[in-house]
Amino acid sequence: MNRPTERSPDRREFLKRAAAGGSTVVAAAPYLITSTALGAAGAVPASDRITVGFIGVGGHGIARNLRTFLAQADAQPVALCDVDTRQIAKALEVVRKQRGESFSCQTTQDWREVIARSDVDAVMISTADHWHVPMSVAAIRAGKDVICEKPTLTIAGGRALVDTVKRYGAVFQMSTEDRSIPIYHRMAELVRNGRIGKLQKIYVQLPGGPGNPGDPKPKPVPKELDWEMWLGPAPWKPYRAGLHRSHWRWNRDYSGGNLADWGGHQLDTAQRANDTERTGPVEVEGTGKRHAGGLYDTYYEYHIICRYANGVEMHIDSGGTGLKFEGSEGWLGNSGWCKPIEASSKKILGSVIGPEELHLFICPQGEHRNFLDCVKSRRDPYFPAETGHRCCSVAHLGNIAMDLGRKLRWNPDTEEFADDAEANRLRSRAMRQPWRI
Amino acid sequence: MSERTNMVVGLVMMALLLVGAVPARAADEALDKSFDALKTYDWGANRAVLGAIDKAVVASNGKADAQKALEKRLAAVLGTDATGAAKDFVCRKLSLIGSAQSVPALAPLLTDEKLSHMARYALERMSCPESVKAMRGALQNTSGRVKVGVINSLGVRRDAEAVGPLSALLADSLEEVASAAAAALGSIGTSQTAKILGDFQKKAPEGLRLAAADAYLVCAERRLADGKKAEAMLIYKSLAKPDQPKHVRLAAMRGLLAATGKK
């Protein structure tokens, strides 16, 4: 499925021609091609496999993304990339356990080497948040399809991502499982079909944190880590053990905190139920608490109110996970991640969505399966760039409102704040050289 | 109202003013302490010592005189021997409230390998013409990746006055510099840059072909957004030719279709 340049022969075309015996290279084919590559024993022929480069193979990158792709017969891992060589070794071990000890592929600390390959169809990006958009955009420009962890880092970055996806007609999936989880799908579908009457209020609970301020003291860079590449477009800072590998999320240079991370889950269902997936609130205000000192500077406690043009008011609060939708004729929601739906009446809970009503898309097999299917069909995946960007924007707007300590008016059409030049400055950040979007 | 009542009202008002003055004085003292701490602030120090500056910057919104005074005080730090960490902090604050007044203090940092990014962090967000003028000026005095950063920021700001020097950089021996210049020209997206990029994409070396094509595609979008449909169509047609990589040709075809539907 890769889209090679004219000068670089297509790997699958080569294999197809070789398998058909219609090429002069076929003499070498028995030496080069295994029977499983040609589709024997129920295996997907190599020509129908999507070649995937894995960029960022930390905890989530391995446990969730690499392992799930390995379970897809039509996905072929061809590159493992991480700034930390210890993670590359772990990832390679995982692949070998599943694909055989003789498995080998490109391993590198430099993601640009992965997207430069003409035989890579798609990349799975599971890095820290500040790399999501620059890597995605570069990969798309190189002709790849992209599945990338959420969230974005800035509003301007998200818009640039959307524009690039649109420009090239690339398949882009913002990688979350929510649209494959029946509970969240059902909540959105019930609300969209008016089962609680006219939607009036949404209550979203997201985890807070960090619980401690972190140690800001610089430490020597581990020999296995390319710290400069880890930082990438973010402002230069010395290495601190409290950032890599696991706690970078608590620093605004690399993330929007749990508000942005968990927002990528719960805010998506909220926006979907509110039918505002491709727009956003018109007014935002919020208050939050941060640790005064230490290393971490994201809000560990927050309360944000978003008002939408349709009159719906959304409250986002730190403390656990949960959703509640209040309408003119009832409510529904849940308390806790993937917990069962509760509602104001049994009628709502048992309601059947009729064939003539609105049915929202769901892919119970998950975001990775949905992505692979879309790479083949060239359709938008279930959490495409625009929808993902708008979802992340809600979190960014919340952070900006808390940073400035005032109510902000937002125009979701122009993606500008009204009458607030300072707030508008916070939509983007200059990137450290040489990186750009 | 009797004299006695007047006196009571006067006393109450004075008391209220005094009550208000106490926290204001405390805030001033805290701000002074923060600026003192900034002189020696370094990585690993407790960030809480700078908290009063954080608060003052946010509170200065809508108070032009106070904001100017604060900006002046912050910018002054950049000319001292304060640490990189302290100047990093100052640039972040100026990125929010900085104006033309701060440009002379930020401009010299653009050529400093360690501080160039943070100078751009502030300047890129400042809408005044002085900020882009400073970055344009830095093109002459930078090289390598520092120059790439400056080029990138000029692209973000879509600085039409930088077209001349950026065009010259398309021939730079460093691919990173030439690639950044192409991207910036695409982002600026005028009729002039369309012509320059049209020539460039025909002769771009192998390592720059994708960058040249992407810049040209971005330029086409800008021309279309400016109502110059014919110019955009010309770009798309040239990129839809067989000598381009398949995904670029597809992007050009998409652009052609989108442009065709525009009035």
Side-chain angles (χ1 to χ4, degrees), chain A residues 325-341:
Chain A
F325 298 92
E326 279 183 3
S328 56
E329 294 166 32
W331 61 266
L332 63 85
N334 74 346
S335 302
W337 175 241
C338 291
K339 295 289 183 193
I341 302 176

PDB file of all heavy atoms in Angstrom, chain A residues 325-341:
ATOM      1  N   PHE A 325     -24.394  13.215  30.849  1.00  0.00           N
ATOM      2  CA  PHE A 325     -25.095  14.084  29.902  1.00  0.00           C
ATOM      3  C   PHE A 325     -26.479  14.370  30.478  1.00  0.00           C
ATOM      4  O   PHE A 325     -27.241  13.437  30.739  1.00  0.00           O
ATOM      5  CB  PHE A 325     -25.220  13.396  28.540  1.00  0.00           C
ATOM      6  CG  PHE A 325     -23.885  13.089  27.902  1.00  0.00           C
ATOM      7  CD1 PHE A 325     -23.274  11.853  28.109  1.00  0.00           C
ATOM      8  CD2 PHE A 325     -23.235  14.032  27.129  1.00  0.00           C
ATOM      9  CE1 PHE A 325     -22.040  11.563  27.535  1.00  0.00           C
ATOM     10  CE2 PHE A 325     -21.995  13.759  26.553  1.00  0.00           C
ATOM     11  CZ  PHE A 325     -21.392  12.517  26.758  1.00  0.00           C
ATOM     12  N   GLU A 326     -26.776  15.638  30.684  1.00  0.00           N
ATOM     13  CA  GLU A 326     -28.086  16.036  31.197  1.00  0.00           C
ATOM     14  C   GLU A 326     -28.896  16.677  30.083  1.00  0.00           C
ATOM     15  O   GLU A 326     -28.407  17.598  29.413  1.00  0.00           O
ATOM     16  CB  GLU A 326     -27.930  17.054  32.326  1.00  0.00           C
ATOM     17  CG  GLU A 326     -27.616  16.436  33.671  1.00  0.00           C
ATOM     18  CD  GLU A 326     -27.552  17.482  34.775  1.00  0.00           C
ATOM     19  OE1 GLU A 326     -27.814  18.675  34.505  1.00  0.00           O
ATOM     20  OE2 GLU A 326     -27.207  17.096  35.900  1.00  0.00           O
ATOM     21  N   GLY A 327     -30.113  16.200  29.913  1.00  0.00           N
ATOM     22  CA  GLY A 327     -30.975  16.777  28.897  1.00  0.00           C
ATOM     23  C   GLY A 327     -32.291  17.231  29.486  1.00  0.00           C
ATOM     24  O   GLY A 327     -32.526  17.106  30.693  1.00  0.00           O
ATOM     25  N   SER A 328     -33.159  17.739  28.628  1.00  0.00           N
ATOM     26  CA  SER A 328     -34.450  18.252  29.091  1.00  0.00           C
ATOM     27  C   SER A 328     -35.387  17.127  29.563  1.00  0.00           C
ATOM     28  O   SER A 328     -36.353  17.384  30.268  1.00  0.00           O
ATOM     29  CB  SER A 328     -35.121  19.028  27.949  1.00  0.00           C
ATOM     30  OG  SER A 328     -35.238  18.192  26.803  1.00  0.00           O
ATOM     31  N   GLU A 329     -35.062  15.881  29.197  1.00  0.00           N
ATOM     32  CA  GLU A 329     -35.954  14.780  29.569  1.00  0.00           C
ATOM     33  C   GLU A 329     -35.241  13.628  30.276  1.00  0.00           C
ATOM     34  O   GLU A 329     -35.740  12.503  30.295  1.00  0.00           O
ATOM     35  CB  GLU A 329     -36.655  14.243  28.303  1.00  0.00           C
ATOM     36  CG  GLU A 329     -37.593  15.251  27.678  1.00  0.00           C
ATOM     37  CD  GLU A 329     -38.012  14.864  26.271  1.00  0.00           C
ATOM     38  OE1 GLU A 329     -38.118  13.650  25.992  1.00  0.00           O
ATOM     39  OE2 GLU A 329     -38.188  15.780  25.452  1.00  0.00           O
ATOM     40  N   GLY A 330     -34.068  13.914  30.817  1.00  0.00           N
ATOM     41  CA  GLY A 330     -33.377  12.858  31.563  1.00  0.00           C
ATOM     42  C   GLY A 330     -31.867  12.994  31.469  1.00  0.00           C
ATOM     43  O   GLY A 330     -31.360  13.986  30.925  1.00  0.00           O
ATOM     44  N   TRP A 331     -31.191  12.023  32.022  1.00  0.00           N
ATOM     45  CA  TRP A 331     -29.732  12.045  31.964  1.00  0.00           C
ATOM     46  C   TRP A 331     -29.188  10.638  31.756  1.00  0.00           C
ATOM     47  O   TRP A 331     -29.881   9.637  32.002  1.00  0.00           O
ATOM     48  CB  TRP A 331     -29.137  12.665  33.237  1.00  0.00           C
ATOM     49  CG  TRP A 331     -29.472  11.915  34.512  1.00  0.00           C
ATOM     50  CD1 TRP A 331     -30.508  12.177  35.352  1.00  0.00           C
ATOM     51  CD2 TRP A 331     -28.782  10.772  35.050  1.00  0.00           C
ATOM     52  NE1 TRP A 331     -30.526  11.279  36.392  1.00  0.00           N
ATOM     53  CE2 TRP A 331     -29.468  10.400  36.243  1.00  0.00           C
ATOM     54  CE3 TRP A 331     -27.675  10.030  34.671  1.00  0.00           C
ATOM     55  CZ2 TRP A 331     -29.069   9.321  37.028  1.00  0.00           C
ATOM     56  CZ3 TRP A 331     -27.263   8.950  35.459  1.00  0.00           C
ATOM     57  CH2 TRP A 331     -27.957   8.608  36.626  1.00  0.00           C
ATOM     58  N   LEU A 332     -27.939  10.571  31.333  1.00  0.00           N
ATOM     59  CA  LEU A 332     -27.231   9.290  31.274  1.00  0.00           C
ATOM     60  C   LEU A 332     -25.739   9.565  31.422  1.00  0.00           C
ATOM     61  O   LEU A 332     -25.282  10.697  31.245  1.00  0.00           O
ATOM     62  CB  LEU A 332     -27.533   8.548  29.969  1.00  0.00           C
ATOM     63  CG  LEU A 332     -27.112   9.185  28.636  1.00  0.00           C
ATOM     64  CD1 LEU A 332     -25.670   8.878  28.283  1.00  0.00           C
ATOM     65  CD2 LEU A 332     -28.018   8.682  27.521  1.00  0.00           C
ATOM     66  N   GLY A 333     -25.011   8.527  31.768  1.00  0.00           N
ATOM     67  CA  GLY A 333     -23.569   8.702  31.945  1.00  0.00           C
ATOM     68  C   GLY A 333     -22.961   7.480  32.578  1.00  0.00           C
ATOM     69  O   GLY A 333     -23.586   6.411  32.625  1.00  0.00           O
ATOM     70  N   ASN A 334     -21.738   7.610  33.033  1.00  0.00           N
ATOM     71  CA  ASN A 334     -21.112   6.529  33.799  1.00  0.00           C
ATOM     72  C   ASN A 334     -20.092   7.109  34.771  1.00  0.00           C
ATOM     73  O   ASN A 334     -19.698   8.276  34.654  1.00  0.00           O
ATOM     74  CB  ASN A 334     -20.489   5.457  32.888  1.00  0.00           C
ATOM     75  CG  ASN A 334     -19.204   5.921  32.220  1.00  0.00           C
ATOM     76  OD1 ASN A 334     -18.894   7.113  32.215  1.00  0.00           O
ATOM     77  ND2 ASN A 334     -18.467   4.994  31.652  1.00  0.00           N
ATOM     78  N   SER A 335     -19.703   6.314  35.728  1.00  0.00           N
ATOM     79  CA  SER A 335     -18.722   6.745  36.733  1.00  0.00           C
ATOM     80  C   SER A 335     -17.552   5.795  36.677  1.00  0.00           C
ATOM     81  O   SER A 335     -17.634   4.675  37.169  1.00  0.00           O
ATOM     82  CB  SER A 335     -19.340   6.714  38.135  1.00  0.00           C
ATOM     83  OG  SER A 335     -20.476   7.531  38.179  1.00  0.00           O
ATOM     84  N   GLY A 336     -16.480   6.224  36.057  1.00  0.00           N
ATOM     85  CA  GLY A 336     -15.298   5.375  35.935  1.00  0.00           C
ATOM     86  C   GLY A 336     -15.087   4.917  34.510  1.00  0.00           C
ATOM     87  O   GLY A 336     -16.054   4.783  33.735  1.00  0.00           O
ATOM     88  N   TRP A 337     -13.826   4.677  34.163  1.00  0.00           N
ATOM     89  CA  TRP A 337     -13.452   4.294  32.806  1.00  0.00           C
ATOM     90  C   TRP A 337     -14.120   2.979  32.403  1.00  0.00           C
ATOM     91  O   TRP A 337     -13.949   1.968  33.084  1.00  0.00           O
ATOM     92  CB  TRP A 337     -11.929   4.183  32.732  1.00  0.00           C
ATOM     93  CG  TRP A 337     -11.381   3.689  31.423  1.00  0.00           C
ATOM     94  CD1 TRP A 337     -10.650   2.567  31.232  1.00  0.00           C
ATOM     95  CD2 TRP A 337     -11.497   4.319  30.141  1.00  0.00           C
ATOM     96  NE1 TRP A 337     -10.302   2.452  29.905  1.00  0.00           N
ATOM     97  CE2 TRP A 337     -10.815   3.508  29.211  1.00  0.00           C
ATOM     98  CE3 TRP A 337     -12.123   5.481  29.681  1.00  0.00           C
ATOM     99  CZ2 TRP A 337     -10.720   3.822  27.851  1.00  0.00           C
ATOM    100  CZ3 TRP A 337     -12.035   5.790  28.332  1.00  0.00           C
ATOM    101  CH2 TRP A 337     -11.340   4.971  27.441  1.00  0.00           C
ATOM    102  N   CYS A 338     -14.891   3.008  31.357  1.00  0.00           N
ATOM    103  CA  CYS A 338     -15.579   1.841  30.795  1.00  0.00           C
ATOM    104  C   CYS A 338     -16.629   1.230  31.721  1.00  0.00           C
ATOM    105  O   CYS A 338     -17.048   0.088  31.509  1.00  0.00           O
ATOM    106  CB  CYS A 338     -14.573   0.767  30.377  1.00  0.00           C
ATOM    107  SG  CYS A 338     -13.568   1.241  28.973  1.00  0.00           S
ATOM    108  N   LYS A 339     -17.027   1.965  32.742  1.00  0.00           N
ATOM    109  CA  LYS A 339     -18.063   1.448  33.643  1.00  0.00           C
ATOM    110  C   LYS A 339     -19.411   1.467  32.923  1.00  0.00           C
ATOM    111  O   LYS A 339     -19.611   2.235  31.980  1.00  0.00           O
ATOM    112  CB  LYS A 339     -18.139   2.306  34.917  1.00  0.00           C
ATOM    113  CG  LYS A 339     -16.883   2.232  35.777  1.00  0.00           C
ATOM    114  CD  LYS A 339     -16.764   0.892  36.446  1.00  0.00           C
ATOM    115  CE  LYS A 339     -15.543   0.867  37.361  1.00  0.00           C
ATOM    116  NZ  LYS A 339     -15.187  -0.460  37.808  1.00  0.00           N
ATOM    117  N   PRO A 340     -20.353   0.646  33.388  1.00  0.00           N
ATOM    118  CA  PRO A 340     -21.644   0.562  32.707  1.00  0.00           C
ATOM    119  C   PRO A 340     -22.391   1.896  32.686  1.00  0.00           C
ATOM    120  O   PRO A 340     -22.205   2.733  33.573  1.00  0.00           O
ATOM    121  CB  PRO A 340     -22.418  -0.466  33.543  1.00  0.00           C
ATOM    122  CG  PRO A 340     -21.403  -1.179  34.344  1.00  0.00           C
ATOM    123  CD  PRO A 340     -20.251  -0.251  34.531  1.00  0.00           C
ATOM    124  N   ILE A 341     -23.233   2.029  31.698  1.00  0.00           N
ATOM    125  CA  ILE A 341     -24.022   3.257  31.581  1.00  0.00           C
ATOM    126  C   ILE A 341     -25.119   3.272  32.635  1.00  0.00           C
ATOM    127  O   ILE A 341     -25.775   2.261  32.888  1.00  0.00           O
ATOM    128  CB  ILE A 341     -24.652   3.370  30.171  1.00  0.00           C
ATOM    129  CG1 ILE A 341     -23.555   3.355  29.105  1.00  0.00           C
ATOM    130  CG2 ILE A 341     -25.483   4.655  30.049  1.00  0.00           C
ATOM    131  CD1 ILE A 341     -24.089   3.362  27.674  1.00  0.00           C
TER     132      ILE A 341
END
